[in-house]
Amino acid sequence: MVALAEIEASSLGVRQIRKSFPVPDDPLLHRLVLDGISFSLAAGELVSLIGPSGCGKSTLLRLIAGLESPDSGELLIGSEKITQPGAERGLVFQDPNLFPWLTVRHNIQAGLVARGVLRETHHEVGDFMRLVGLESFADAYPHHLSGGMAQRVALARALINHPKVLLLDEPLGALDAFTRMRMQDEVLRLWQARRTTMLLVTHDIDEAIYMSDRIMIMSPRPGRIERTISVALDRPRQRSSPDFLRLRGDILEFVHFAGNASIENKD
Amino acid sequence: MLQEETSRRSKISPPESGVQLASAPTYPKPGAVQRMERRSELGWRAQLAVPLAALVALAIHLLFSKSAPAVETHSYALFFYEIVGVSAVLAIAQRFWMPLRSWMRHMCPIFTAAILSLGLWDIVTFGFRLLPMPYFPGPAAVLRSLISDRALLLDSTWHSLALLLSGYSVGVLVGLISGICIGWSTPIRYWGMPLLKVVGPIPATAWIPLAMVISPSAVVSAAGLIALAVWFPVTMLTASGISNTRASYLDVARTLGAGRAYLIFRVAIPAAVPNIFIGLFMGLGASFLTLVVAESVGVKSGLGWYVSWAQGWAEYGKVYAALIIMAAFFSTIMTLLFKVRDRMLVWQKGVIKW
């Protein structure tokens, strides 16, 4: 009973998700990518999903976004089943994917236009441009923006729909180290300001520890959640504090071990 | 590195500074500064090149024109006097207006060459009669035809414009609609693409016999043929642009809550616009061809008709006059389409070089 209540209070529920893709060379074969993934996110939680490339992190995010459908299992937003993409689940990719033919302002308000609510809510466009500090670039086209600025536009574009869950697929992966650290603070600031539930896929362990309430570690082939770690450090976190480094060491050791194990399994 | 840069620059810079650079193969810094100062003024060579070329061409003509009717020489000479006069005005105006100066610097070699080639044309045809005569009149005769027949030429241009625009706009409209449908919908693509691939490559002019039978009037059938000629490239390029829309743009739009209309009209079509413009340019080229052929075969008006009519009377001066009008007419329309594209694709600047 307790478990049920917990799931209902959560904003995102993932239950026993399996997903396979046909092997390109042999269409009769299917490769299992995700094998029985289950977890739930409480409202306002920031959870990271880490794991080596090819472990199905991005597939899992696409499933939650509704861009793919699972072979079996259930995906829930509150108590509603996810069947197709919707504005209540925002998705930000590693590539900002701004529409190059729209200015910053029009990119940010794209969601309002798509949902046909621009007339009632257009005053929010200015708020979100201020939120990400880009009001002076309102009329610039994406090719004028730096990588960090473009990603801030992508965040604002996703947030303007007031999503219940924001899915972040390695959003800072393409940025240089300095910009990335600044953007981590930026995302945290947005999270604290708006209390949006966030699921962050990353392969940067430091980023996961620095940002999240919990860290889920995935193993590849097929993708499974091997371990979930609560990060009980006070915010703002110090990247060089002993607790931070100890946690980092634990995770590294675990990931290393899991990686070796999976290689041995494969052999 | 530096030397390479110098030689590259000397190729594109105007002749007078090119000479300077050639005499200084190394890259001395003071020289570079001096060159910059020189560039800020328009050199006297650049100012004199065009009027001098005009006077040379005029002298060539006067030398040969002793036996020719005075009337031809008159308008042709006047043409060169006008060039000299306009260059004098521009030479003064450029001192006060920077954009004009850089335009003159850029265009000076081209104008000079064009005027000198008029002189060469004069020597070959009017002067020594190296080419068989009624077919290759001199520039003065062509200019006279251009002036004396201006009313009919204007009327023909007007008819060509009306026919071209009606055919082109219908072709573009239908091409866009069919291209979007084929590009977006898989079943329409399945049935439409083979048809497009088989029927499309037939040159529109090959349909002329059929068009003459089917259509009530020559003008309507010509417009239809132009539309057909435009339809194929516009459809093909639009369809490929739509179907090659980056999947991630569509994914992003769907997670923002976009429905089908938004995905088609606000994502796929804008993403396909660069491709669509390539189709519009190809279609425009095809429409010029079809227009001229249709006018010289069936339609009893327009520049194509004028050319074949003048040829029938062996008035080759008029043929060349019509060709000159066509060149101006078609390149103006092409330039307008370029302007429209630059305006619509302002977001692409710096992304793709055209």
Side-chain angles (χ1 to χ4, degrees):
Chain A
M1 281 327 282
V2 174
L4 190 67
E6 200 179 278
I7 286 168
E8 270 175 354
S10 75
S11 61
L12 173 69
V14 176
R15 287 185 200 160
Q16 288 299 323
I17 289 297
R18 287 166 64 92
K19 176 73 181 173
S20 59
F21 286 112
V23 179
D25 303 330
D26 189 351
L28 291 178
L29 274 179
H30 277 61
R31 188 194 299 127
L32 193 60
V33 179
L34 295 173
D35 184 16
I37 304 279
S38 295
F39 63 87
S40 61
L41 261 58
E45 216 180 2
L46 200 170
V47 176
S48 286
L49 195 59
I50 62 172
S53 2
C55 72
K57 299 172 299 209
S58 295
T59 305
L60 182 56
L61 236 53
R62 288 180 65 83
L63 285 166
I64 298 170
L67 296 169
E68 310 264 357
S69 46
D71 297 349
S72 64
E74 242 186 345
L75 295 157
L76 297 163
I77 280 286
S79 54
E80 270 183 58
K81 233 182 131 175
I82 295 170
T83 53
Q84 57 178 19
E88 82 283 358
R89 282 154 288 138
L91 179 55
V92 176
F93 296 87
Q94 178 174 350
D95 183 326
N97 278 317
L98 301 181
F99 301 131
W101 53 87
L102 297 182
T103 60
V104 166
R105 171 192 296 280
H106 286 97
N107 262 291
I108 289 176
Q109 69 188 25
L112 304 181
V113 176
R115 292 186 296 134
V117 295
L118 181 65
R119 193 180 293 258
E120 304 90 88
T121 49
H122 71 104
H123 59 273
E124 288 194 39
V125 179
D127 298 344
F128 278 87
M129 275 193 294
R130 259 190 302 283
L131 185 70
V132 293
L134 283 166
E135 60 271 45
S136 57
F137 286 88
D139 298 318
Y141 281 98
H143 71 260
H144 288 302
L145 304 180
S146 69
M149 279 156 71
Q151 202 54 280
R152 295 214 302 266
V153 177
L155 283 167
R157 179 173 66 173
L159 285 171
I160 203 166
N161 276 338
H162 301 281
K164 288 182 185 157
V165 180
L166 184 62
L167 308 164
L168 302 161
D169 190 359
E170 298 186 32
L172 312 179
L175 304 176
D176 65 85
F178 296 103
T179 314
R180 184 189 301 197
M181 283 200 275
R182 245 186 311 118
M183 285 295 290
Q184 286 168 358
D185 288 328
E186 181 85 15
V187 173
L188 283 177
R189 189 176 60 78
L190 294 175
W191 173 64
Q192 274 156 354
R194 309 201 45 80
R195 284 284 149 193
T196 309
T197 313
M198 291 191 184
L199 180 57
L200 170 71
V201 161
T202 177
H203 50 219
D204 181 344
I205 294 171
D206 286 21
E207 184 169 284
I209 302 171
Y210 185 70
M211 297 186 65
S212 39
D213 297 324
R214 279 188 295 150
I215 300 173
M216 299 189 287
I217 305 172
M218 278 182 78
S219 69
R221 283 180 291 272
R224 288 197 188 92
I225 293 178
E226 292 290 330
R227 206 174 136 186
T228 303
I229 297 167
S230 289
V231 184
L233 303 176
D234 292 334
R235 296 175 191 273
R237 290 172 182 165
Q238 300 300 315
R239 291 172 207 267
S240 52
S241 74
D243 289 338
F244 193 106
L245 293 175
R246 195 177 309 118
L247 192 54
R248 184 167 181 271
D250 285 353
I251 294 175
L252 267 175
E253 198 176 334
F254 181 79
V255 169
H256 186 66
F257 171 75
N260 282 346
S262 76
I263 288 166
E264 277 157 26
N265 281 345
K266 211 184 165 197
D267 292 343
Chain B
M1 249 318 258
L2 278 179
Q3 290 221 9
E4 219 176 88
E5 176 77 351
T6 327
S7 63
R8 194 181 60 77
R9 271 198 206 159
S10 68
K11 264 181 212 147
I12 52 164
S13 57
E16 87 274 26
S17 57
V19 171
Q20 258 236 324
L21 271 171
S23 66
T26 49
Y27 198 83
K29 255 197 167 166
V33 172
Q34 198 189 359
R35 197 168 69 92
M36 290 301 287
E37 281 166 2
R38 280 180 144 267
R39 284 186 67 90
S40 69
E41 276 180 24
L42 195 60
W44 57 271
R45 285 188 220 199
Q47 292 188 38
L48 283 183
V50 172
L52 271 181
L55 290 176
V56 167
L58 179 61
I60 290 169
H61 187 72
L62 292 176
L63 203 67
F64 288 118
S65 70
K66 290 193 176 119
S67 57
V71 120
E72 261 187 29
T73 308
H74 182 66
S75 55
Y76 192 54
L78 205 64
F79 171 62
F80 285 121
Y81 293 143
E82 276 166 17
I83 290 179
V84 173
V86 169
S87 345
V89 172
L90 288 180
I92 296 165
Q94 58 90 14
R95 291 182 176 280
F96 308 103
W97 198 31
M98 187 60 198
L100 179 65
R101 191 182 310 159
S102 54
W103 181 80
M104 281 174 73
R105 182 177 290 126
H106 183 69
M107 299 306 286
C108 162
I110 288 187
F111 280 134
T112 310
I115 293 165
L116 287 179
S117 51
L118 277 183
L120 192 67
W121 175 14
D122 217 11
I123 293 173
V124 171
T125 55
F126 181 67
F128 291 115
R129 308 196 179 240
L130 297 176
L131 295 169
M133 217 10 218
Y135 310 113
F136 296 99
V142 173
L143 185 67
R144 201 186 46 153
S145 306
L146 203 56
I147 293 167
S148 65
D149 221 9
R150 59 185 179 277
L152 188 52
L153 277 169
L154 193 69
D155 184 61
S156 300
T157 310
W158 167 247
H159 277 98
S160 286
L161 181 68
L163 184 53
L164 183 76
L165 286 188
S166 51
Y168 188 71
S169 50
V170 171
V172 167
L173 193 69
V174 178
L176 284 177
I177 293 170
S178 57
I180 291 164
C181 293
I182 290 174
W184 185 260
S185 144
T186 316
I188 298 179
R189 185 181 192 80
Y190 177 83
W191 296 107
M193 208 55 176
L195 189 73
L196 188 67
K197 278 184 177 162
V198 171
V199 177
I202 302 174
T205 47
W207 296 100
I208 284 177
L210 192 65
M212 280 174 160
V213 177
I214 294 174
S215 156
S217 87
V219 176
V220 173
S221 70
L225 287 178
I226 294 169
L228 184 65
V230 176
W231 167 80
F232 172 57
V234 172
T235 306
M236 207 65 182
L237 270 295
T238 305
S240 91
I242 297 275
S243 61
N244 285 320
T245 306
R246 257 170 69 175
S248 53
Y249 290 153
L250 296 170
D251 285 349
V252 164
R254 288 197 285 163
T255 61
L256 291 174
R260 206 160 71 144
Y262 189 95
L263 293 179
I264 295 175
F265 291 103
R266 304 250 185 177
V267 182
I269 291 177
V273 165
N275 250 339
I276 291 173
F277 266 102
I278 297 173
L280 293 181
F281 279 109
M282 290 169 64
L284 194 58
S287 74
F288 294 158
L289 177 75
T290 313
L291 172 78
V292 172
V293 173
E295 281 179 343
S296 45
V297 173
V299 185
K300 292 279 174 278
S301 63
L303 289 168
W305 164 82
Y306 183 93
V307 168
S308 56
W309 172 78
Q311 189 220 0
W313 292 101
E315 293 203 65
Y316 282 87
K318 291 185 178 177
V319 171
Y320 291 102
L323 289 180
I324 290 170
I325 298 287
M326 267 188 209
F329 173 55
F330 290 155
S331 65
T332 305
I333 292 176
M334 204 56 123
T335 308
L336 282 177
L337 189 57
F338 267 106
K339 295 265 185 241
V340 173
R341 186 209 62 188
D342 289 348
R343 232 191 142 71
M344 283 192 69
L345 290 184
V346 64
W347 55 269
Q348 253 200 339
K349 284 224 174 110
V351 179
I352 288 173
K353 287 260 182 281
W354 286 76

